[in-house]
Amino acid sequence: MIDYEKKINQLLHDQFGFARFRPGQEETIRAVLDHRNTLAVLPTGAGKSLLYQLPGYLFAGTVIIISPLISLMQDQVDRLHRQGESAVVMLNGQLVGPERRRVLGQLGRFRFVFISPEMLANETVLAAFARVKISLLVVDEAHCISQWGPDFRPEYLLLKEIRHRLGDPRTLLLTATATPAVRQDILAKMGLAASDVAVIVQSVDRSNIFLAVKNTTGQADKQEELLALVNKYQGPGVIYFASRKLASQMAAWLTSKTTLNVAAYHAGVTAVERFRIQEQFMNNQLQVICATSAFGMGIDKNDIRYVIHFHLPSNLENYLQEIGRAGRDGKQSIAILLYSAGDELIQRQLTTITVPPVEILAQVKQGKLAPAVLGEQADLFSFYLQHNFAPAQIARAFNRRQQQLERELQQLLAYVHSDGCRREYILHYFGENLRARPSYCCDNDEADIDEVPIETSLSTHPTDTTADWASQLRRLLNITER
Ligand code: ADP
Ligand code: MG
C-alpha cells in the first residue's frame, strides 16, 4: 500500500505548485484513488484537470482523456508540457500516416493520452489500446454524452461500448454543468449504475457574475445596445453569436464604431489566425472577441469582465458554461443576454432536424435506397444504421430529442422573461438553493445594472511576445526544433 495521504499533498505542492486543494478536488481525487467510478460536477475554472492529472502520477499505466475539441486538447497538452511532463500525446484527425502508426505502436509509453470520441471509436485505435494498461478513463466535458446524442457527434453514444471494449477501466466523468436529470442520463448512457459511482457536486453558482437580460425592440436596437455596452465595459469581453457570419460582421462593425480591437473567433477562422487571436486576447492587445458557442470553449483567460449574448444560447446549461468564462479571477464581472421577441425562432431553426420516415430509413438499411435520400443529415442517420440501430428506434430517439430541446428552450425563455431573482432561477434549475445572495446579484434585484462595479484592465503597453509566439506556433503546427 502506498501512503496516499502524504503523496497527494506532496504532488499538489511539488508537481503542480498549488498551496491547497480547491473545493471538490480532494474528495474527487480520493474517490478515484479508492478505485471508484466517479462523476465530478465542478464549475468552470474549479480545476477539473487536476482531478486526473494528479492520480496520473500515482497510477502505473496510461490515463486516457476523451475530449470534444482539438483546441481543448491542445490547451491541456501545452499546460502539461509547461509543467515539465513530456509523456503526453494528442490523438485526433490531424495525426495521420506513419506518425499515427508510431504513436499507436507506443501508446503505453505515454502517461496522458488525449483523444476525440471519433478517434477512439476507430477499430485500429481500439486494438492499439487493448495492448495498454489503462489506469483511468476520463471523459472531460461529460455533459456532451447527454447533450450531443443523438443529433450531433453520435460517437458519444458509443462510449459505453468502447469502455467495455477497453476492459471497463475505472472511469472519471467531468463536467461543469449538469442538472440531476442530466447526471442520471450521463451514467445511464455510460452503462454505470448510480450505486457504483461516487458523485461529487459543487454549486454552479458564480457569485461574482452579475446576471442581466436586456430587452430590445429588434435587430437595430439590439446592435445599438451592444455598442453602448461594449463602449461602457471596454474589455476584456466575449460576445456570443448564433452564426459565424454575424460574429464576423459584428466584429467588423464594432471595430469601425469603437476604438477597441475586436476579432471574430469561430470555425470559419483558420487555426493559425485563431491562435494569433487567442494570444492577442491573452495579452490584452485585443479587447473583444465575437465568438460562436462552438469556439468559446477554447478561450481560457481569467480576467474576462463580461460575456454578452447577442443571440439566445440553446439552453441554460450552455448559458452557464458560456458566462462561466467571465471572472475566473474572482473579480466582479457581468453576464448580459440581449433579447428581442422572436429570437427563439433562430434557436429553433438551428436545432430542428427533419427525421426521414421509418420506411425510408429501412430501405436505406437494406441497401434499396442510397443514403443520399436521407438529405442533409445523411451521414448522421447512416451512422446509426451502420451501428445496427433499428429505424423505428432511430426515429423515436430523434423525436424524443426534439421534445427535449424544445423543453430546454422554454426553460431558457422563462429565465429571460422572469421578474424574480435570476440567480435563484438558475440554481433551482440545477437542483440547488441559493445560500447567500451576493451584493450584486441580478437586474431583477435591488442593485441597478449601472451600479455594478466592473473594472477594465486594458493594457496600454502591448508587450513584445514575438519570440514566445513563434515557439508556440511551432508547437501548434507540430514542428519540432530538432
Ligand atoms: P476547469 O477544467 O474546471 O474549468 P482547469 O482544470 O482548466 O479548470 O483549471 C483552471 C485553473 O485553475 C488552471 O489555471 C489551474 O492551473 C488552476 N488550478 C487548479 N487547481 C488549483 C488549485 N488547487 N490551486 C490553485 N489553482 C488551481
Ligand atoms: Mg476543463
Side-chain angles (χ1 to χ4, degrees):
M1 269 295 277
I2 312 173
D3 181 1
Y4 279 141
E5 199 66 37
K6 244 166 85 189
K7 272 252 168 192
I8 294 179
N9 283 298
Q10 207 177 350
L11 274 171
L12 184 72
H13 300 145
D14 302 349
Q15 180 70 29
F16 298 95
F18 298 144
R20 60 190 66 80
F21 284 109
R22 286 191 179 152
Q25 284 184 327
E26 192 171 5
E27 233 181 313
T28 308
I29 289 171
R30 276 180 198 285
V32 171
L33 296 180
D34 259 359
H35 298 272
R36 307 278 313 268
N37 293 318
T38 306
L39 167 64
V41 186
L42 310 187
T44 311
K48 288 185 286 297
S49 313
L50 187 77
L51 306 178
Y52 59 81
Q53 287 182 3
L54 196 151
Y57 289 96
L58 291 170
F59 296 146
T62 298
V63 180
I64 306 179
I65 304 105
I66 300 173
S67 175
L69 283 181
I70 291 180
S71 60
L72 288 180
M73 293 187 214
Q74 185 69 52
D75 179 51
Q76 295 298 327
V77 170
D78 286 350
R79 278 203 232 168
L80 282 161
H81 282 162
R82 279 199 295 271
Q83 289 166 23
E85 178 58 67
S86 56
V88 193
V89 75
M90 169 169 135
L91 277 168
N92 57 48
Q94 289 181 344
L95 189 68
V96 287
E99 180 63 13
R100 178 170 154 176
R101 272 196 298 282
R102 191 184 63 79
V103 170
L104 287 179
Q106 312 182 335
L107 274 182
R109 287 185 28 200
F110 296 100
R111 194 189 295 274
F112 300 104
V113 177
F114 291 85
I115 191 163
S116 64
E118 287 79 6
M119 182 68 84
L120 193 54
N122 176 291
E123 282 300 325
T124 318
V125 174
L126 270 176
F129 274 110
R131 298 189 294 268
V132 173
K133 179 175 166 50
I134 299 166
S135 61
L136 183 65
L137 177 69
V138 181
V139 185
D140 202 2
E141 313 289 343
H143 54 278
C144 296
I145 298 171
S146 171
Q147 268 186 15
W148 284 357
D151 44 353
F152 186 47
R153 307 194 58 174
E155 284 79 2
Y156 266 96
L157 296 184
L158 300 179
L159 286 186
K160 169 181 169 180
E161 191 189 321
I162 289 172
R163 176 173 180 269
H164 198 58
R165 290 275 302 276
L166 294 173
D168 292 321
R170 161 174 40 189
T171 300
L172 172 63
L173 304 155
L174 301 174
T175 180
T177 37
T179 62
V182 169
R183 281 174 227 156
Q184 261 181 13
D185 191 41
I186 292 173
L187 297 187
K189 290 212 168 99
M190 286 302 291
L192 294 167
S195 56
D196 178 38
V197 179
V199 180
I200 287 113
V201 182
Q202 285 287 317
S203 173
V204 297
D205 192 18
R206 294 286 306 280
S207 58
N208 62 321
I209 302 178
F210 183 87
L211 303 168
V213 174
K214 285 218 173 220
N215 285 295
T216 61
T217 57
Q219 177 79 18
D221 185 31
K222 203 194 257 188
Q223 238 173 282
E224 288 309 316
E225 189 65 60
L226 177 68
L227 181 61
L229 289 170
V230 168
N231 270 326
K232 176 172 175 182
Y233 296 120
Q234 304 269 304
V238 176
I239 309 166
Y240 281 101
F241 296 88
S243 81
R244 296 180 198 179
K245 195 171 144 204
L246 212 63
S248 291
Q249 283 174 354
M250 296 301 284
W253 185 73
L254 287 171
T255 304
S256 72
K257 289 279 187 184
T258 67
T259 57
L260 301 169
N261 296 323
V262 187
Y265 190 84
H266 53 65
V269 177
T270 64
V272 171
E273 180 66 7
R274 280 203 305 269
F275 183 74
R276 195 178 60 79
I277 292 172
Q278 273 263 16
E279 289 298 295
Q280 294 188 339
F281 191 51
M282 294 304 280
N283 297 323
N284 293 334
Q285 291 159 319
L286 264 179
Q287 288 86 46
V288 182
I289 286 191
C290 295
T292 57
S293 59
F295 276 80
M297 266 197 215
I299 300 170
D300 183 18
K301 177 171 168 65
N302 70 7
D303 60 350
I304 294 173
R305 291 279 72 89
Y306 64 88
V307 171
I308 297 173
H309 279 73
F310 195 81
H311 293 122
L312 290 175
S314 48
N315 54 32
L316 277 168
E317 275 94 335
N318 286 340
Y319 188 58
L320 233 68
Q321 289 258 1
E322 287 162 14
I323 67 173
R325 306 212 158 91
R328 289 195 185 185
D329 55 6
K331 292 191 188 164
Q332 184 64 55
S333 306
I334 190 164
I336 302 167
L337 201 160
L338 297 176
Y339 177 76
S340 72
D343 276 357
E344 51 276 20
L345 299 179
I346 304 173
Q347 192 51 46
R348 228 174 249 138
Q349 204 178 3
L350 285 173
T351 52
T352 301
I353 289 180
T354 315
V355 185
V358 173
E359 189 49 37
I360 302 285
L361 284 170
Q363 294 201 21
V364 172
K365 191 176 170 78
Q366 292 156 15
K368 290 183 192 156
L369 284 174
V373 300
L374 300 175
E376 245 179 79
Q377 305 282 345
D379 285 350
L380 185 61
F381 291 110
S382 300
F383 173 90
Y384 287 106
L385 293 173
Q386 277 157 20
H387 283 88
N388 289 320
F389 286 81
Q393 191 185 1
I394 299 174
R396 245 195 334 270
F398 274 88
N399 290 331
R400 259 205 313 269
R401 174 68 177 155
Q402 211 67 67
Q403 286 160 14
Q404 183 196 344
L405 290 173
E406 183 58 32
R407 256 196 321 274
E408 289 177 358
L409 184 57
Q410 291 304 334
Q411 281 159 325
L412 178 72
L413 287 171
Y415 169 82
V416 170
H417 298 307
S418 160
D419 52 12
C421 173
R422 298 193 193 280
R423 195 170 304 275
E424 272 180 38
Y425 183 90
I426 288 181
L427 290 177
H428 286 168
Y429 181 81
F430 288 100
E432 294 183 37
N433 287 313
L434 179 63
R435 269 168 256 163
R437 191 182 305 281
S439 335
Y440 301 100
C441 182
C442 75
D443 54 354
N444 285 338
D445 288 344
E446 277 152 51
D448 189 74
I449 184 166
D450 293 321
E451 289 164 14
V452 185
I454 304 288
E455 145 196 326
T456 58
S457 55
L458 295 183
S459 161
T460 45
H461 322 281
T463 41
D464 180 17
T465 52
T466 326
D468 191 40
W469 195 88
S471 87
Q472 294 205 41
L473 184 60
R474 266 198 300 276
R475 207 161 55 214
L476 176 81
L477 299 172
N478 279 326
I479 303 167
T480 54
E481 277 156 299
R482 259 174 293 142

